[in-house]
CSV table of all heavy atoms in Angstrom, one decimal:
chain,number,residue,atom,x,y,z
Z,1,ALA,N,-43.4,-7.0,15.0
Z,1,ALA,CA,-43.5,-6.1,13.9
Z,1,ALA,C,-43.8,-4.7,14.2
Z,1,ALA,O,-43.3,-3.8,13.5
Z,1,ALA,CB,-44.8,-6.6,12.9
Z,2,ALA,N,-44.5,-4.5,15.3
Z,2,ALA,CA,-44.8,-3.1,15.7
Z,2,ALA,C,-43.6,-2.4,16.3
Z,2,ALA,O,-43.5,-1.2,16.2
Z,2,ALA,CB,-46.0,-3.1,16.7
Z,3,THR,N,-42.7,-3.1,17.0
Z,3,THR,CA,-41.6,-2.5,17.6
Z,3,THR,C,-40.4,-2.5,16.7
Z,3,THR,O,-39.4,-2.0,17.1
Z,3,THR,CB,-41.3,-3.2,18.9
Z,3,THR,OG1,-41.0,-4.6,18.6
Z,3,THR,CG2,-42.4,-3.1,19.9
Z,4,ALA,N,-40.3,-3.2,15.6
Z,4,ALA,CA,-39.3,-3.3,14.8
Z,4,ALA,C,-38.8,-1.9,14.2
Z,4,ALA,O,-39.7,-1.1,13.9
Z,4,ALA,CB,-39.5,-4.4,13.6
Z,5,SER,N,-37.5,-1.7,14.0
Z,5,SER,CA,-37.1,-0.4,13.4
Z,5,SER,C,-37.5,-0.3,11.9
Z,5,SER,O,-37.4,-1.4,11.2
Z,5,SER,CB,-35.6,-0.4,13.6
Z,5,SER,OG,-35.1,0.7,12.9
Z,6,PRO,N,-37.9,0.9,11.7
Z,6,PRO,CA,-38.3,1.0,10.2
Z,6,PRO,C,-37.1,1.3,9.3
Z,6,PRO,O,-37.1,1.3,8.1
Z,6,PRO,CB,-39.2,2.3,10.1
Z,6,PRO,CG,-38.7,3.1,11.4
Z,6,PRO,CD,-38.2,2.1,12.4
Z,7,TYR,N,-35.9,1.4,9.9
Z,7,TYR,CA,-34.7,1.7,9.1
Z,7,TYR,C,-33.8,0.5,9.0
Z,7,TYR,O,-33.9,-0.4,9.8
Z,7,TYR,CB,-33.8,2.7,10.0
Z,7,TYR,CG,-34.5,4.0,10.2
Z,7,TYR,CD1,-35.2,4.3,11.4
Z,7,TYR,CD2,-34.6,4.9,9.1
Z,7,TYR,CE1,-35.9,5.5,11.5
Z,7,TYR,CE2,-35.3,6.0,9.3
Z,7,TYR,CZ,-36.0,6.3,10.4
Z,7,TYR,OH,-36.7,7.6,10.6
Z,8,PRO,N,-33.2,0.3,7.8
Z,8,PRO,CA,-32.4,-0.8,7.4
Z,8,PRO,C,-31.3,-1.0,8.4
Z,8,PRO,O,-30.7,0.0,9.0
Z,8,PRO,CB,-32.0,-0.6,6.0
Z,8,PRO,CG,-31.9,0.9,5.9
Z,8,PRO,CD,-33.1,1.4,6.7
Z,9,PRO,N,-30.8,-2.3,8.6
Z,9,PRO,CA,-29.6,-2.4,9.5
Z,9,PRO,C,-28.4,-1.8,8.7
Z,9,PRO,O,-28.4,-1.6,7.6
Z,9,PRO,CB,-29.6,-4.0,9.5
Z,9,PRO,CG,-30.3,-4.4,8.3
Z,9,PRO,CD,-31.3,-3.5,8.0
Z,10,LEU,N,-27.4,-1.7,9.5
Z,10,LEU,CA,-26.1,-1.2,9.1
Z,10,LEU,C,-25.4,-2.1,8.1
Z,10,LEU,O,-25.3,-3.2,8.2
Z,10,LEU,CB,-25.1,-1.0,10.2
Z,10,LEU,CG,-23.7,-0.5,10.0
Z,10,LEU,CD1,-23.9,1.0,9.6
Z,10,LEU,CD2,-22.9,-0.6,11.3
Z,11,ASN,N,-25.2,-1.5,6.9
Z,11,ASN,CA,-24.7,-2.3,5.8
Z,11,ASN,C,-23.1,-2.2,5.8
Z,11,ASN,O,-22.5,-1.5,5.1
Z,11,ASN,CB,-25.3,-1.7,4.4
Z,11,ASN,CG,-25.0,-2.6,3.2
Z,11,ASN,OD1,-24.6,-3.7,3.4
Z,11,ASN,ND2,-25.4,-2.1,2.0
Z,12,LEU,N,-22.6,-3.1,6.6
Z,12,LEU,CA,-21.2,-3.1,7.0
Z,12,LEU,C,-20.4,-4.1,6.3
Z,12,LEU,O,-20.7,-5.4,6.3
Z,12,LEU,CB,-21.0,-3.2,8.5
Z,12,LEU,CG,-19.6,-3.2,9.2
Z,12,LEU,CD1,-19.0,-1.7,8.8
Z,12,LEU,CD2,-19.7,-3.4,10.6
Z,13,GLY,N,-19.4,-3.7,5.7
Z,13,GLY,CA,-18.4,-4.6,5.0
Z,13,GLY,C,-16.9,-4.4,5.6
Z,13,GLY,O,-16.7,-3.8,6.6
Z,14,VAL,N,-16.0,-4.8,4.8
Z,14,VAL,CA,-14.5,-4.9,5.3
Z,14,VAL,C,-13.7,-5.0,4.1
Z,14,VAL,O,-14.1,-5.3,3.0
Z,14,VAL,CB,-14.2,-6.2,6.2
Z,14,VAL,CG1,-14.3,-7.4,5.4
Z,14,VAL,CG2,-13.0,-6.1,7.0
Z,15,ARG,N,-12.4,-4.5,4.2
Z,15,ARG,CA,-11.5,-4.6,3.2
Z,15,ARG,C,-10.9,-6.0,3.2
Z,15,ARG,O,-10.5,-6.5,4.3
Z,15,ARG,CB,-10.2,-3.7,3.5
Z,15,ARG,CG,-10.7,-2.2,3.3
Z,15,ARG,CD,-9.4,-1.3,3.4
Z,15,ARG,NE,-8.5,-1.7,4.4
Z,15,ARG,CZ,-7.2,-1.1,4.7
Z,15,ARG,NH1,-6.9,-0.2,3.9
Z,15,ARG,NH2,-6.6,-1.5,5.6
Z,16,ALA,N,-11.0,-6.8,2.2
Z,16,ALA,CA,-10.6,-8.1,2.3
Z,16,ALA,C,-9.2,-8.4,2.6
Z,16,ALA,O,-8.9,-9.4,3.4
Z,16,ALA,CB,-10.9,-8.8,0.9
Z,17,HIS,N,-8.3,-7.4,2.3
Z,17,HIS,CA,-7.0,-7.7,2.5
Z,17,HIS,C,-6.6,-7.4,4.1
Z,17,HIS,O,-5.5,-7.7,4.5
Z,17,HIS,CB,-6.0,-6.9,1.6
Z,17,HIS,CG,-6.2,-5.4,1.8
Z,17,HIS,ND1,-7.1,-4.8,1.0
Z,17,HIS,CD2,-5.6,-4.5,2.5
Z,17,HIS,CE1,-7.0,-3.4,1.2
Z,17,HIS,NE2,-6.2,-3.2,2.2
Z,18,ASP,N,-7.6,-6.9,4.9
Z,18,ASP,CA,-7.4,-6.9,6.3
Z,18,ASP,C,-7.4,-8.2,7.0
Z,18,ASP,O,-7.0,-8.3,8.2
Z,18,ASP,CB,-8.5,-6.0,6.9
Z,18,ASP,CG,-8.2,-4.6,6.7
Z,18,ASP,OD1,-7.0,-4.1,6.5
Z,18,ASP,OD2,-9.1,-3.6,6.7
Z,19,PHE,N,-7.7,-9.2,6.2
Z,19,PHE,CA,-7.6,-10.7,6.7
Z,19,PHE,C,-6.2,-11.2,6.3
Z,19,PHE,O,-6.0,-12.4,6.6
Z,19,PHE,CB,-8.7,-11.6,6.2
Z,19,PHE,CG,-10.1,-11.2,6.8
Z,19,PHE,CD1,-11.1,-10.7,6.1
Z,19,PHE,CD2,-10.4,-11.6,8.0
Z,19,PHE,CE1,-12.4,-10.4,6.6
Z,19,PHE,CE2,-11.7,-11.3,8.7
Z,19,PHE,CZ,-12.6,-10.7,7.9
Z,20,GLY,N,-5.4,-10.4,5.6
Z,20,GLY,CA,-4.2,-10.9,5.1
Z,20,GLY,C,-4.3,-11.9,3.9
Z,20,GLY,O,-5.4,-11.9,3.3
Z,21,GLN,N,-3.2,-12.5,3.5
Z,21,GLN,CA,-3.2,-13.4,2.2
Z,21,GLN,C,-3.5,-14.8,2.7
Z,21,GLN,O,-2.7,-15.4,3.2
Z,21,GLN,CB,-2.0,-13.2,1.5
Z,21,GLN,CG,-1.8,-11.9,1.0
Z,21,GLN,CD,-0.5,-11.7,0.0
Z,21,GLN,OE1,0.2,-12.7,-0.1
Z,21,GLN,NE2,-0.2,-10.6,-0.5
Z,22,VAL,N,-4.8,-15.2,2.4
Z,22,VAL,CA,-5.3,-16.5,2.9
Z,22,VAL,C,-5.9,-17.1,1.7
Z,22,VAL,O,-6.5,-16.4,0.7
Z,22,VAL,CB,-6.2,-16.4,4.0
Z,22,VAL,CG1,-5.4,-15.9,5.4
Z,22,VAL,CG2,-7.4,-15.6,3.9
Z,23,PRO,N,-6.1,-18.4,1.7
Z,23,PRO,CA,-6.8,-19.1,0.6
Z,23,PRO,C,-8.2,-18.5,0.4
Z,23,PRO,O,-8.9,-18.0,1.3
Z,23,PRO,CB,-6.9,-20.5,0.9
Z,23,PRO,CG,-5.7,-20.7,1.9
Z,23,PRO,CD,-5.6,-19.4,2.6
Z,24,LEU,N,-8.7,-18.5,-0.8
Z,24,LEU,CA,-10.0,-17.9,-1.1
Z,24,LEU,C,-11.2,-18.4,-0.2
Z,24,LEU,O,-12.1,-17.8,0.3
Z,24,LEU,CB,-10.4,-18.2,-2.6
Z,24,LEU,CG,-11.8,-17.6,-3.1
Z,24,LEU,CD1,-11.8,-16.0,-2.8
Z,24,LEU,CD2,-11.9,-17.8,-4.5
Z,25,ASP,N,-11.1,-19.8,-0.1
Z,25,ASP,CA,-12.3,-20.3,0.8
Z,25,ASP,C,-12.2,-19.9,2.2
Z,25,ASP,O,-13.2,-19.7,2.9
Z,25,ASP,CB,-12.3,-22.0,0.7
Z,25,ASP,CG,-11.0,-22.6,1.1
Z,25,ASP,OD1,-9.9,-21.9,1.1
Z,25,ASP,OD2,-11.0,-23.7,1.4
Z,26,VAL,N,-10.9,-19.7,2.7
Z,26,VAL,CA,-10.7,-19.2,4.1
Z,26,VAL,C,-11.2,-17.9,4.1
Z,26,VAL,O,-11.8,-17.4,5.2
Z,26,VAL,CB,-9.3,-19.5,4.5
Z,26,VAL,CG1,-9.1,-18.8,5.9
Z,26,VAL,CG2,-8.9,-20.9,4.5
Z,27,LEU,N,-10.8,-17.0,3.2
Z,27,LEU,CA,-11.1,-15.6,3.2
Z,27,LEU,C,-12.8,-15.5,3.2
Z,27,LEU,O,-13.3,-14.7,4.1
Z,27,LEU,CB,-10.6,-14.9,1.9
Z,27,LEU,CG,-11.2,-13.5,1.8
Z,27,LEU,CD1,-10.7,-12.5,2.9
Z,27,LEU,CD2,-10.6,-12.9,0.4
Z,28,ILE,N,-13.4,-16.2,2.3
Z,28,ILE,CA,-15.0,-16.1,2.3
Z,28,ILE,C,-15.4,-16.6,3.7
Z,28,ILE,O,-16.4,-15.9,4.2
Z,28,ILE,CB,-15.4,-17.1,1.2
Z,28,ILE,CG1,-15.0,-16.3,-0.2
Z,28,ILE,CG2,-16.9,-17.3,1.3
Z,28,ILE,CD1,-15.5,-17.1,-1.4
Z,29,ALA,N,-14.9,-17.7,4.3
Z,29,ALA,CA,-15.4,-18.1,5.6
Z,29,ALA,C,-15.2,-17.0,6.7
Z,29,ALA,O,-16.2,-16.9,7.4
Z,29,ALA,CB,-14.7,-19.4,6.0
Z,30,LYS,N,-14.1,-16.3,6.6
Z,30,LYS,CA,-13.8,-15.2,7.6
Z,30,LYS,C,-14.7,-14.1,7.4
Z,30,LYS,O,-15.3,-13.5,8.4
Z,30,LYS,CB,-12.5,-14.8,7.5
Z,30,LYS,CG,-11.3,-15.8,8.1
Z,30,LYS,CD,-9.9,-15.3,7.8
Z,30,LYS,CE,-8.9,-16.2,8.3
Z,30,LYS,NZ,-8.9,-16.4,9.7
Z,31,ILE,N,-15.0,-13.7,6.2
Z,31,ILE,CA,-16.1,-12.7,5.8
Z,31,ILE,C,-17.5,-13.0,6.4
Z,31,ILE,O,-18.1,-12.2,7.1
Z,31,ILE,CB,-16.1,-12.4,4.4
Z,31,ILE,CG1,-14.7,-11.8,3.9
Z,31,ILE,CG2,-17.1,-11.3,4.1
Z,31,ILE,CD1,-14.6,-11.8,2.4
Z,32,ARG,N,-17.8,-14.2,6.2
Z,32,ARG,CA,-19.1,-14.7,6.5
Z,32,ARG,C,-19.3,-14.8,8.1
Z,32,ARG,O,-20.3,-14.6,8.6
Z,32,ARG,CB,-19.5,-15.9,5.9
Z,32,ARG,CG,-19.7,-15.7,4.3
Z,32,ARG,CD,-20.1,-17.0,3.6
Z,32,ARG,NE,-21.5,-17.2,4.0
Z,32,ARG,CZ,-22.3,-18.2,3.4
Z,32,ARG,NH1,-21.7,-19.1,2.5
Z,32,ARG,NH2,-23.6,-18.4,3.7
Z,33,GLN,N,-18.1,-15.3,8.6
Z,33,GLN,CA,-18.2,-15.4,10.1
Z,33,GLN,C,-18.6,-14.2,10.8
Z,33,GLN,O,-19.2,-14.1,11.8
Z,33,GLN,CB,-16.7,-15.9,10.5
Z,33,GLN,CG,-16.6,-16.0,12.1
Z,33,GLN,CD,-15.2,-16.2,12.4
Z,33,GLN,OE1,-14.2,-16.7,11.7
Z,33,GLN,NE2,-14.8,-15.9,13.7
Z,34,HIS,N,-18.1,-13.0,10.3
Z,34,HIS,CA,-18.3,-11.7,10.9
Z,34,HIS,C,-19.5,-11.0,10.3
Z,34,HIS,O,-19.8,-9.9,10.7
Z,34,HIS,CB,-17.0,-10.7,10.8
Z,34,HIS,CG,-15.9,-11.3,11.6
Z,34,HIS,ND1,-15.7,-11.1,12.8
Z,34,HIS,CD2,-14.8,-11.9,11.0
Z,34,HIS,CE1,-14.6,-11.6,13.2
Z,34,HIS,NE2,-14.0,-12.0,12.2
Z,35,SER,N,-20.3,-11.8,9.5
Z,35,SER,CA,-21.6,-11.3,9.0
Z,35,SER,C,-21.4,-9.9,8.2
Z,35,SER,O,-22.3,-9.2,8.0
Z,35,SER,CB,-22.7,-11.1,10.0
Z,35,SER,OG,-22.9,-12.3,10.6
Z,36,PHE,N,-20.3,-9.8,7.5
Z,36,PHE,CA,-20.1,-8.7,6.6
Z,36,PHE,C,-20.9,-9.0,5.3
Z,36,PHE,O,-20.8,-10.0,4.8
Z,36,PHE,CB,-18.6,-8.4,6.2
Z,36,PHE,CG,-17.7,-8.1,7.4
Z,36,PHE,CD1,-16.4,-8.8,7.8
Z,36,PHE,CD2,-18.0,-6.9,8.1
Z,36,PHE,CE1,-15.9,-8.4,8.9
Z,36,PHE,CE2,-17.2,-6.4,9.2
Z,36,PHE,CZ,-16.1,-7.2,9.6
Z,37,THR,N,-21.5,-7.8,4.9
Z,37,THR,CA,-22.3,-8.0,3.7
Z,37,THR,C,-21.5,-7.6,2.3
Z,37,THR,O,-22.1,-8.0,1.2
Z,37,THR,CB,-23.5,-7.1,3.8
Z,37,THR,OG1,-23.1,-5.7,4.0
Z,37,THR,CG2,-24.4,-7.5,5.0
Z,38,CYS,N,-20.5,-6.9,2.4
Z,38,CYS,CA,-19.9,-6.5,1.3
Z,38,CYS,C,-18.3,-6.3,1.6
Z,38,CYS,O,-17.8,-6.3,2.8
Z,38,CYS,CB,-20.4,-5.1,0.8
Z,38,CYS,SG,-20.4,-3.9,2.1
Z,39,ILE,N,-17.5,-6.2,0.5
Z,39,ILE,CA,-16.0,-6.1,0.7
Z,39,ILE,C,-15.5,-5.0,-0.2
Z,39,ILE,O,-16.1,-4.7,-1.3
Z,39,ILE,CB,-15.3,-7.4,0.6
Z,39,ILE,CG1,-15.6,-7.9,-0.9
Z,39,ILE,CG2,-15.7,-8.4,1.6
Z,39,ILE,CD1,-14.7,-9.1,-1.3
Z,40,GLN,N,-14.4,-4.5,0.0
Z,40,GLN,CA,-13.4,-3.9,-0.8
Z,40,GLN,C,-12.4,-5.0,-1.1
Z,40,GLN,O,-11.7,-5.5,-0.3
Z,40,GLN,CB,-12.7,-2.6,-0.3
Z,40,GLN,CG,-11.8,-1.9,-1.2
Z,40,GLN,CD,-11.4,-0.6,-0.7
Z,40,GLN,OE1,-12.3,0.2,-0.4
Z,40,GLN,NE2,-10.2,-0.4,-0.8
Z,41,PHE,N,-12.2,-5.3,-2.5
Z,41,PHE,CA,-11.5,-6.4,-2.9
Z,41,PHE,C,-10.4,-5.7,-3.8
Z,41,PHE,O,-10.6,-5.3,-5.0
Z,41,PHE,CB,-12.3,-7.3,-3.6
Z,41,PHE,CG,-11.5,-8.6,-4.0
Z,41,PHE,CD1,-10.7,-9.3,-3.2
Z,41,PHE,CD2,-11.4,-8.8,-5.4
Z,41,PHE,CE1,-10.0,-10.4,-3.5
Z,41,PHE,CE2,-10.8,-10.1,-5.8
Z,41,PHE,CZ,-10.0,-10.8,-4.9
Z,42,ALA,N,-9.1,-5.7,-3.3
Z,42,ALA,CA,-7.9,-5.3,-4.0
Z,42,ALA,C,-7.1,-6.6,-4.4
Z,42,ALA,O,-6.5,-7.2,-3.5
Z,42,ALA,CB,-7.0,-4.3,-3.3
Z,43,VAL,N,-7.5,-7.2,-5.6
Z,43,VAL,CA,-7.0,-8.6,-5.8
Z,43,VAL,C,-5.5,-8.9,-5.5
Z,43,VAL,O,-5.1,-9.8,-5.0
Z,43,VAL,CB,-7.5,-9.1,-7.2
Z,43,VAL,CG1,-6.9,-8.1,-8.3
Z,43,VAL,CG2,-7.2,-10.5,-7.5
Z,44,LYS,N,-4.7,-7.8,-5.9
Z,44,LYS,CA,-3.3,-8.1,-5.8
Z,44,LYS,C,-2.9,-8.1,-4.3
Z,44,LYS,O,-1.8,-8.7,-3.9
Z,44,LYS,CB,-2.5,-6.9,-6.6
Z,44,LYS,CG,-1.1,-7.3,-6.9
Z,44,LYS,CD,-0.4,-6.2,-7.7
Z,44,LYS,CE,1.1,-6.7,-8.1
Z,44,LYS,NZ,1.7,-5.7,-9.1
């Protein structure tokens, strides 16, 4: 606790379409695999 950084971790996400057009469950699995916390989602 004494050596832990007082600053939050990098809040890093990704554009969902950078994974290409894949099924929704596959897309979610890929996002979570890389520990991304957020996405930009252009549904089309």
Side-chain angles (χ1 to χ4, degrees):
T3 58
S5 170
Y7 298 99
L10 183 65
N11 194 2
L12 182 62
V14 68
R15 297 188 313 182
H17 60 273
D18 282 336
F19 289 108
Q21 294 187 0
V22 297
L24 181 57
D25 59 338
V26 175
L27 173 61
I28 287 173
K30 289 176 179 290
I31 293 167
R32 298 186 69 177
Q33 174 190 342
H34 293 284
S35 300
F36 291 124
T37 58
C38 55
I39 58 172
Q40 176 165 317
F41 184 54
V43 59
K44 194 169 184 178

